[in-house]
Amino acid sequence: MAQQHLEPTDPTAPAVTADALAGYLRAQATEFLRALRLHRETGAAAGSGAEESVDAARALRRSARRISASLHTFRPLLEADWSEDMRPELAWVSGTLGLEHAYESRLQRLLLALHRLSGVTVFPGQATGRRGATAAGAGATGRPAPVAAGSRTTTAAAPAPLQTALAPAGGPAQPLPAPERGSLTVGAAKAGALLERQLTLARTRAHSTALQALGSSRFHAVADKVAVLASEVPLTPAAAGTHLHPLAAAAEERLTNAVAALPLVTAGHPYNAEALVHGLSPDPSPHPQDGPWHQVRLLLRLHRYAREVLHGADRPADVRLLTAGQALNRHRDASEAAAAAAQAARTPRIAPATAYALGVLHADQRHEVEAARFAFQQAWQKETVGAP
């Protein structure tokens, strides 16, 4: 497929030197420190302060990702020892702070899917109003003390009949036998309660881990290095006057090659029965087909951040790349939710109706995986064909 020459590989694009990289890294380091200060000021607050703490944690992750990505893409221009030491630490910060939000989002996704598939209004324990409970019918979500999560209200979609809930994106509804609705409804409440127990426990542990991480000497060492980065970027002597376009073009090429290796022809169909069969495998390991798509998601993020270095973070992002990235984010979320449903279904001594509901939920999320792949394929193929 012929592709448009994006700006990193455009031979007519104006030269961008290592000074732009230094300015970008200083700006991101400053944002990191500002978010850290805001998080410390609002971390013990409640109400609106909790929302501010959530925003601060999100800003911390955002800045850490951008600094780490820039150190990876432009590593020949930076002091090797410093860069190699800094990158894994920033990845640790971003990953640790994102775990709580990931578990909470996964729980909400799975409960809403159960609600949509079965029409169950409230799962056991969700009408008590206790802290951290999730109401699947109303979509209200309570959260523990903020690190990477906060209080907000989400409106759930109206329940859809089970007979149409498993329709592939862009395709006709797939009718299911009527008796299955009753079986799913019987087990959905217990399945929801089981998922809530497991994922709430995981979220609570992630919250405690994040709190411990923010107070650890390891995190303080990272923050000290970022503080130094805000004023002094350790460029190599050879970086002066070096153009950034070749390194940014290499990041784009890695993305293009990874996308070319994906089964986009298969992903061009809204329903991939072969992938669903593999997704229902009893193998507890992560789905083998998902790995290349997750890798493309990371490479797409590196490419986007390289473009920010070249053109400034304030420049509007490429809508096509944003759309493709959103599809890959949905792919990751659905893949991880399917894995969580499968893991819950392996819980010993659960009722057959509960296991059945979790199996239908797993299949539904694997359908979501295929729909996300289809959406990515549609977004990626929209690239303008370059003029000969």
Side-chain angles (χ1 to χ4, degrees):
M1 178 184 65
Q3 305 236 349
Q4 179 190 21
H5 283 293
L6 298 177
E7 290 159 353
T9 54
D10 187 348
T12 65
V16 180
T17 66
D19 290 339
L21 172 62
Y24 181 83
L25 288 174
R26 284 195 296 267
Q28 293 302 323
T30 301
E31 287 298 318
F32 182 97
L33 297 174
R34 182 181 296 115
L36 178 59
R37 182 174 64 252
L38 178 60
H39 188 275
R40 287 172 174 170
E41 292 173 352
T42 60
S48 61
E51 288 293 344
E52 292 178 358
S53 182
V54 173
D55 293 339
R58 186 179 298 113
L60 274 173
R61 300 200 309 270
R62 185 187 304 119
S63 298
R65 286 197 305 265
R66 280 166 166 78
I67 296 172
S68 178
S70 299
L71 298 185
H72 175 78
T73 301
F74 302 102
R75 60 185 178 276
L77 306 181
L78 298 155
E79 291 183 3
D81 292 341
W82 176 87
S83 179
E84 292 303 316
D85 289 343
M86 191 69 167
R87 279 171 47 207
E89 294 303 286
L90 290 169
W92 167 72
V93 170
S94 178
T96 302
L97 293 181
L99 273 179
E100 182 183 0
H101 174 72
Y103 283 123
E104 181 182 23
S105 298
R106 195 171 307 154
L107 175 61
Q108 184 178 15
R109 165 184 276 271
L110 289 169
L111 293 183
L112 289 176
L114 273 175
H115 170 68
R116 169 171 52 83
L117 292 168
S118 66
V120 174
T121 303
V122 179
F123 293 117
Q126 293 168 348
T128 62
R130 72 180 185 277
R131 189 175 184 85
T134 302
T141 304
R143 306 181 184 180
V147 170
S151 300
R152 65 169 179 257
T153 302
T154 305
T155 302
L162 178 61
Q163 283 77 8
T164 62
L166 296 184
Q174 305 295 313
L176 294 175
E180 293 192 1
R181 180 186 178 99
S183 299
L184 179 61
T185 302
V186 169
K190 291 184 178 180
L194 176 60
L195 288 168
E196 186 177 9
R197 286 196 302 272
Q198 292 183 349
L199 292 177
T200 299
L201 176 60
R203 185 184 66 181
T204 301
R205 289 173 174 169
H207 177 74
S208 300
T209 299
L211 285 178
Q212 293 171 2
L214 289 174
S216 67
S217 58
R218 181 180 180 182
F219 179 80
H220 287 297
V222 175
D224 289 343
K225 291 181 179 179
V226 173
V228 173
L229 182 62
S231 58
E232 181 181 354
V233 178
L235 297 173
T236 63
T242 302
H243 292 183
L244 302 183
H245 282 88
L247 295 174
E252 181 188 355
E253 183 179 2
R254 289 190 291 270
L255 169 64
T256 303
N257 292 339
V259 172
L262 293 175
L264 287 187
V265 174
T266 303
H269 301 281
Y271 176 74
N272 181 1
E274 180 182 358
L276 182 60
V277 169
H278 288 297
L280 294 174
S281 167
D283 185 0
S285 62
H287 195 288
Q289 287 192 1
D290 293 344
W293 294 86
H294 295 331
Q295 180 66 15
V296 167
R297 174 179 169 272
L298 297 177
L299 293 174
L300 178 59
R301 176 179 288 176
L302 291 174
H303 173 52
R304 283 182 47 221
Y305 294 164
R307 287 168 56 91
E308 287 185 4
V309 175
L310 294 182
H311 310 298
D314 295 332
R315 177 171 176 169
D318 189 309
V319 175
R320 180 181 60 255
L321 295 180
L322 283 178
T323 304
Q326 289 167 355
L328 292 175
N329 286 340
R330 294 197 301 273
H331 177 276
R332 176 205 57 189
D333 293 344
S335 172
E336 293 177 348
Q343 182 64 35
R346 298 185 187 97
T347 302
R349 297 183 297 279
I350 60 175
T354 304
Y356 173 76
L358 291 168
V360 173
L361 181 60
H362 175 268
D364 174 74
Q365 292 304 301
R366 292 309 305 181
H367 275 287
E368 293 289 337
V369 167
E370 294 307 312
R373 292 179 183 179
F374 177 70
F376 172 81
Q377 187 263 6
Q378 294 292 95
W380 190 258
Q381 298 289 353
K382 285 181 181 178
E383 286 192 329
T384 304
V385 177

